[in-house]
Each structure stands twice: as structure tokens, then as C-alpha cells.
Amino acid sequence: MLGNVSSVEVRSPRMIRFLLLFSRQGKLRLQKWFTPVSDRDKKKIIRDITHMVLARPPKACNFLQWRDLKVVYRRYASLYFCCGLEQEDNELLTLELLHRYVELLDQYFGNVCELDIIFNFEKAYYILDEFVIGGEMQETSKVSVAKSMEEADSLQETMEEYLNKPTY
Amino acid sequence: MLLQRKDIRTVKHPVWLPAVTSEVLTVEERTGIGEWNYRAAEGKTMSPESDAAWKRRRSERGTDTIMTPSVRLQEMIRVIRSARTQCEERGIIQRECADIRAQFRQGDNGERSHSLAKLLYVHMLGYPAHFGQMECVRLIASTRYSEKRIGYLGAMMLLDEKQDASLLITNSIKNDLSHSSQFVQSLALCTLACMGSAEMCRDLAPEIERLLRASNSYIKKKATLCAVHIIRKVPELGELFTPSARSLLCEKNHGVLHGAIVLITELCERNPDTLGQFRKAVPELVQIMKGLVTSSYSPEHNVAGISDPFLQVRILRLLRILGHKNDTASDAMNDLLAQVATNTDSSKTAGSAVLYETVLTIMDINSESGLRVLAVNILGRFLLNNDRNIRYISMTSLQKIVQTDHNAVQRHRGTIVDCLKDQDSSVKRRALELSLALVSAVNIRSMMKELLIFLSTCPPELRSHTASGIFNAAERYSPSKRWHIDTILHVLTTAGGDVRDETVPNLIQLITTASELHCYTVHKLYRALVKDISQQSLVQVACWCIGEYGDMLLKGECEEITPVQVTEDDVLDALKTVLQSHMSSPATRGFALTATMKLSTRITENVDRIRSIVSIYGSCIDLELQQRAVEYNALFKKYDHMRAAVLERMPVMDKNSPGHTNGDTFAETIKEPDLPKSAEEGFPSEPASQVYDLLGLLGATDTPLQPSPAPICTPPTSTSSADILDLLGELELTSVPKSTVTVYEKNGVSLKLQCDKQTETDVTVTLIASNSSQSDITNFTLQAAVPKSVQLQMKAPSGNVIPAQGLGEVTQTVLLNNPNKVSLKMRVRMSYSNQGTMFQDTVQIDSFPSTAWNCQPSISPL
């Protein structure tokens, strides 16, 4: 060796890189990226992953390897909830995390279905932001998220001009 | 209505693409997601609502506080979804986007938030939405909560740290971090943690540190995770957060505690001093964990009977880092781990997740041997679980410990081999990797049987990995040469298209050394060739052997195989079929042509036929083939007297020594100071060199950047070393010998650098990476940086996987143009993963001496 080589061992990575919700027809319903990814790469990742996940037979294992990522997915009715994890993360716990997110959506919308997420996609994002921050789960309690969503909504309501009452 | 819609639905779009066609309400979309999940177990199916019923149900509660829908947004979504063709949808979206742009231009009219929401929907459908970026910036600065909320959401979706617009929101975030409403603060925190660039992080770190000490736990939990993001972006800011992180451990709120533990984990992994400091906190962590395990039922945090599995897993993970290679810390947590490992109910996913994490922690710290046995047993139990997920996890973990606790894993071999037959490709992949790691001298025969069966049935994406795994295992543990050759041939017949390029020369080398098996091999290969000429690698080896040992084939006396009388015409027919087949690659044809030529001295009657075959290819459009044919023709006509000598059988090729990597051989050859530079090309100059020249064909099978595998190009005599360079082809001899120097050696990976001055200003640097560790290096990438005045061009690397034990290497060529002739410096960054762990290293090469850059570079620490 001719000289010292400085080296930094990159920590064993363990965060959620992205969360995707897509339908059985492969249509994207929600996407959240926790690391900077260019638009082109995003499209490619989404295409690859929906392809892979939709091709899986029912009752197959919920984990996949995609490049250097672990993909954890689960189907709820017509929607696939899908997470890209770094190598050292716990896949089983991620399944629980996805399930908790579904529970939170269900609590909020009341028997949530895909249409709720399509027409109120921003709400689904708000709930997610109360639940996960920067690729890490922020709240382990089932109650807190719903409570803070409710308060935030009422804050918005009081500030909202009353021109916009919903008419279905 | 529904029927009509069903008709449209027959156009299926399984892939999400930027533009989609007819989006129609489907029955499925109305099925309750939660409902489906909860009730599925009870066997009830959700009856889907009608479209109208869904609307009615939603409108009943439409006026309550939960829903604040923007009507126009929902209307737009409905219109887009009703589009029947892709074209129609595009038209609608174009109109909407024009409308949105107009709204944005108008400025504040109370509609901005709705317009942005619409744009975000359009964005999700895959249409361009960058024109909304500035609107996000404006909305964030608004005083209305509703506008801020959608503005921040838009920022997270439309901006990322690479865009300039993201700098504009730094100030707004800063203001909002000290806003009186916690919800506004929360928006700012969430956005920073999601998309904060290094610059933003530096600016806002003090604010976040202040919020860590806030009294409000809602803000505190978000601030901790924001701090985690900041440290990931700017590691040196870690010290700022260390003191507050320590005090957060006393928190009672699970959210804050969870965040604090994530933060401490992050800090400890980045800084050894911090790690030492937090080792003192092990008893506290153990207490918290004990509290969770023994606490009474708390519905808020309970998941399937496990009290807050999310927090438990985080604590276990932190304990793993703290106890790693440290006896005191490990001792302090032994009892706790034993308690968790024995008492956790693993019938549900949550419990399994905790157990899985516990096992990993036990295996990673200096734990008692009894505890390790317990951990391996848990994995063994997982392996028998009905749930595929659990089996998958079990094998992933066994893979991690197979190096350290080989015998313990070996006990589960039977079950693991059974998993090779699982239906699921994810499980198969794990089982394959584990099976390959479990092959040993004792079990090689039985394991190989299983692996070969697996190879014939496995999904295509696993085939090449399986094949190379089998080759590695066979090379290490083969009980006999005969068995080794048979195994490789078996792989080539089942998966010949999926093997690595070096397989052919490796196998040929193996065959030449096994002289007692030549007859057997050539018979076997001839039969394989007659049966199937589509597997290129197999055909190449077969041709080579027929060329070399054709006389043995014709004699037909082979003990081990039922003798079949093969006539000269049969053999020539077979080779001719290969030459003419459209399935043959140019390289394969080269093998076949040379084999035909070689047969001319091994057979007696049909030499004229060979002559005519060879002469046909004298006008072949493939240059390589044509050249060979012309040369062989000359050999027939002009140099017939020395034909027999030229076409003699190849000498036995030995690998230099076991474990000698290709890369080493290659580099040493290059280093030789006085390489004979005489033009060996001149054909024919002396009989011996012609023999090697014939070998040139073997070299041609490789892709240009890969050096020809050493075993084939290492002839027994030293005079022929120049031929190696001839075979390598790409590496032309220059008047100055190239210097090769090792610039990096760590984790079994070594990087060699070789520079070669082309002209006054141009220099070619070749980086050669090899791997002497036990496992393959994956995701290997190199990046290089040079001073500004120097132009750098990186050629494509030869691959991103370096096989274990020096069985291959990755080369990458870097072209440097130094018009100003400044003193050359280069920085090389490499990243790779070894068994799932990422490594990243940087080396600086400080001086390429200006007189001759091809001197040995000197390396300095960074």
C-alpha cells in the first residue's frame, strides 16, 4: 500500500425509501418518496415495481428483491400498498406499518375504499404525513394520528371561507 | 350503465404509464379496503356499493369536519375518470392545465389552493406539473392554514432538493417552525424531513435542536425525526443533537421515545465516540424494553397482543449496535433478550417481527452461547412455518449467520433444500442463496443433485445466478474430475444460454488437464452437439474438443460410454451444421471452423472436404472468420509441410496456482518490463506461435472490456507471454510499459490503477477491481473526479458484480484529456455492497508525475 486510504463505512441503511399505492389495473393512487429521485427514475421505478407486484400470484410471499431494495407489498381489496425498504429494515414490521396505515385511513374515512383515496387523495397524504416522516414511522399510537388529523381539519375548516360547502 | 362500462373495461392497462385510457369506476374500487381485510378471515365478502350509494354515503357526512373537499377538484377527477380514450383524457388534462395556469397567473383569489390540488392530481397521473413549483412557494408563504397545507404537500411532491425553487422555501419553513400553531409547525417539520437539502439542513438545524427541547410532545416527535434526516444529509451536524437526544430517553410518550431511539441509532452508527457514550444508556434501554414486555394491556399501542412492536423493534436494533463487539453492554442485555426470545408470541406478524429482530440482535452482539442456540432454533422454527413470509425472513437471517455459525445452519439443510421447490420465486431465491452457502465437501454430491434439478425448473431470472453458483461450488468441492466435467456439461445442456462468458475457457482448461477423460468427454460432447446446437457455450466447448480429440472420437473405443461408431463424415456434418446454423454466434462459428481445420490432421480420408469447407469461408462477410479461413487456406497451400506441426494438440494448460485470480495474472503480465514486442501477428513465423494464434479465437468470445480469462491464455512457456496480449486484443503494446499499482485494498476488494499515456495530453487510466472475499460483491460502482481544467470521460464498466474469491474482476476505463498539462489529480469513489452491507470509500491519487504520467501514481490519504 502506498498511502493511507481514508474510508467511511456507510451505515447499514434502514429506512423506507418510498411508498406507492396502486390499483389492480396498475394505476397509481398515491406516491411518497423519502429520498430525492428524478422524475424519470420515479417513473421507471413505478413501472418496474407495479409490473413485478401485479405479476405475483395470490398468497405469494409479500417480499421481493428489486435491485438493492426490499419491496414489501400487501393487497387490500383492489389496492396494493407497496413499500421500498433499504436492506437492513424489518420486512415483517413494515407489513404491520402498511396495515396500520390502512387502519388509519379506515378510521378517518369510515370503511375506506379506493374511491375515497382517489377523490380525497390529499387527505390520504395528510394522514401519511402524520404517520411517517422522512422514511421513519413517527407515531406508534393508534389514537394520536386520528386525533391530530381531526384537529388539523377543524383548523382548516375554521379558516376556510364558507363559499366552498360540498355539494354532491 | 354498468354493463356499458364493463365493455370499456376490456381494454386493460396493467402498467401505470404517464397517459392512461378510460378510467372507469370499477366494482373493486368501491369495495372497502379495511372491510375486506378485517372480514376476509370470517369468510364474508363485501358487497360493492353502487356509484350513487357511495356518493350518498359520503355526502351524508360531507358537511362534517372531516371532509373539506374542494368540489371543483372532485369534479375534475370525475371528468378525467370518465374519459374513454387516452386521447380524450389528454385533451381534458390539457384544458385543465391551461385553466390552472391561468388561475396561477391571476394571483390571490381564494382559488389557488384548489388549483394546486388539481395540479397534484394531474401530476399523479404522470403529466408534467413543474409549472406549479412557484405556486407551492407562494402558498407556503400564505397566512391561511388551508393554503399552507396544500402548498407544503405540493412542495413535497413537485420539488426536490435539486431544484432551485426549494431554496426559496427555506425562509418560510424557518418562520413556520416558530409559528404559534403546532399544526403549522408540523407542516414545516414534515416538509423539511421529506425534502430538505443539505443546505437547508445546515440553515435550519439550530431551529430543530430548539424544538427537540420543546414541551409539546407532538412537535418533539416530529423534530427528532427531522434531526435524523438532517444527520443523514449532513453527518457532521450530529454533535449538535447528541445532548438533547440523551435527555429524550426519559420521555414517556411512545412517539417521542420512538423518534429519540431512531435518532440515537443514527448518531451511534455515524460516530464511534457517541456510540461509546450511549453504551452507558444500555440499562435504561433495557428498562424501557422490560416495561414494554411486561406492561399491562394498553389498547392504544397493542398490536395482536404485542405491546408496541414498532418501539420494541427500534430498541432491539439500537441494542444490537450498542452490544456489537462490546462485552459489558452485551452482558447487560443478555437476560432481556432471553426473556423476549422465550416469551414473545410468534403466531402473528407483529410478534414474529419482534422475534426476528431479537434473533438478529442476539447473533450480532457478544451473546452467551446458550442464547445463540436459542436464536438459531427460533429461525429453525420459522423455517417450518406455513407462512411464506416467515420462511423468507428465516432464510434471510440464516444467510446472515451462515458464515459465523455454519454448523448450526447446516442442521436445517433439509428444510432449506425443500424450500427450493416452493412455488414462490422470492422464497426460491432465498433458498438458492442459502443452499449455495451450505454446499461443502461432505454434501457436494447430494446438494448438487438438488441444485441441478432446481436449475432445470427455476424461473429464468434465477438461472444465471444458479449456474455460476454451481460452477463455484463444483470448482471448490468436486470429488473427481469426471464428476466436475459432468456437472458443468449438465449445466451447459440445461442452461447454456445463461452462463458467464468465462465458463467456456474454464471448462476447456479443465478438460485439457484431465487427459484420461479426453475420450469420454469428446464422445459425450459429440452426442450433446448432435442433439442440440442452440446452447452456444456447449457448442463452443464441443467444437473445441472435437477439433482437439477428433481422433479419439473416430476410434470409438470408450469404456465408460456405450460405443457408437462415428464416421468422419458424421463429425464433419455436425461441424458444418454449426457453421451454417443461424443460431450460431460468430464466436461459435470461429470455434467450429478451427475445429474443422484441426480435424484435417486427425482424419485420413476427407481432407479434401475440409479444404473445401475452409475455402468457402475465405469470402465470408464476418471478418474474423474470413481471416481465419484465408490463413487456413494458406496453411493448406503454401505451408502444407508444417500443417501437422501447427495443428498439433494443445498443450495442457495449468492454472498458475489455486486461488490465483485472473486479475493478478493479468496485471503481472502487464507489469513485466521487457515484453517481447516482436510482431507475432506475422503468420506463420514459427510453429509454436501459430498454435497460440489459433487460440486467439477463444479470446474472441469475450466482450472487449473483459480481459480474456487467464487459464486459457496462460501458456506453459514464458516466451509466449506476448500472445496473451494478442488475445486480449484491446491492450495494444506501446513503447512505454504501463504501470499498475494497487490503490485500494479493503474488505477483500482491491482496486488497481493502471495509467497509460496516449499522447501529450491524453492519458488512459484503467481501473481494475477484484474481490478476494468469500462472497460476491454487488452494486459495484466507480466514480472519478479530476481538476476542472481536465476533461474526464468514463467508459462503461465491464459489470457491477465482482465474483468471490478472485474469480473475476470489473474493469473500467477512464479517458483523461489534460490540455493545460496541469498536474494531474484524481479522486476515485467506489461503492459496493457485500452481503447486503453498503460500503463507500474514496481514494485520492495525488500526483501523476508531469514528466511521464505513466509512472507510478502516488496516493495520499484524504
Side-chain angles (χ1 to χ4, degrees), chain B residues 526 529-530 533 539-548 550 553 568-581 584 588-600 603 609-610 613 617:
Chain B
Y526 173 70
L529 182 70
V530 173
I533 58 162
V539 174
Q540 290 175 1
V541 178
C543 287
W544 193 91
C545 284
I546 290 173
E548 289 299 315
L553 180 63
E568 291 178 2
D569 272 326
D570 292 342
V571 179
L572 286 176
D573 282 345
L575 289 175
K576 207 171 166 191
T577 323
V578 175
L579 272 172
Q580 289 172 345
S581 164
S584 303
T588 310
R589 277 172 221 232
F591 273 93
L593 188 68
T594 306
T596 316
M597 184 64 192
K598 283 214 152 188
L599 278 179
S600 72
I603 61 176
R609 191 174 166 203
I610 293 176
I613 293 176
Y617 285 87

Side-chain angles (χ1 to χ4, degrees), chain A residues 7-8 24-26 29 60-63 90 99 108 112 116 130 136 139-142 153 156, chain B residues 13 16 23 28 33 37 58 61 66 149 218 221 232 300 302 308 314 357 389 424 426 840-841:
Chain A
S7 74
V8 186
R24 232 159 60 99
Q25 284 75 34
R29 298 302 182 208
C61 171
N62 294 90
F63 313 132
N90 188 325
H99 187 72
Y108 183 82
V112 66
D116 290 317
E130 284 294 328
E136 300 285 352
E139 185 49 73
T140 64
S141 154
K142 287 175 195 168
D153 277 347
Q156 176 166 345
Chain B
H13 291 270
W16 179 78
E23 186 156 349
E28 272 184 340
I33 295 168
N37 183 60
R58 288 301 175 231
R61 42 208 303 270
I66 290 179
R149 208 180 187 192
Y218 178 74
K221 73 181 179 202
R232 280 177 187 163
E300 192 181 337
N302 184 64
D308 208 338
R314 279 304 180 168
E357 206 68 33
N389 291 341
D424 190 283
S426 292
Q840 187 169 334
D841 274 311

Side-chain angles (χ1 to χ4, degrees), chain B residues 240-257:
Chain B
L240 179 68
F241 298 110
T242 313
S244 2
R246 182 74 178 78
S247 54
L248 284 173
L249 273 185
C250 321
E251 278 288 333
K252 288 281 170 283
N253 180 301
H254 283 211
V256 182
L257 201 52

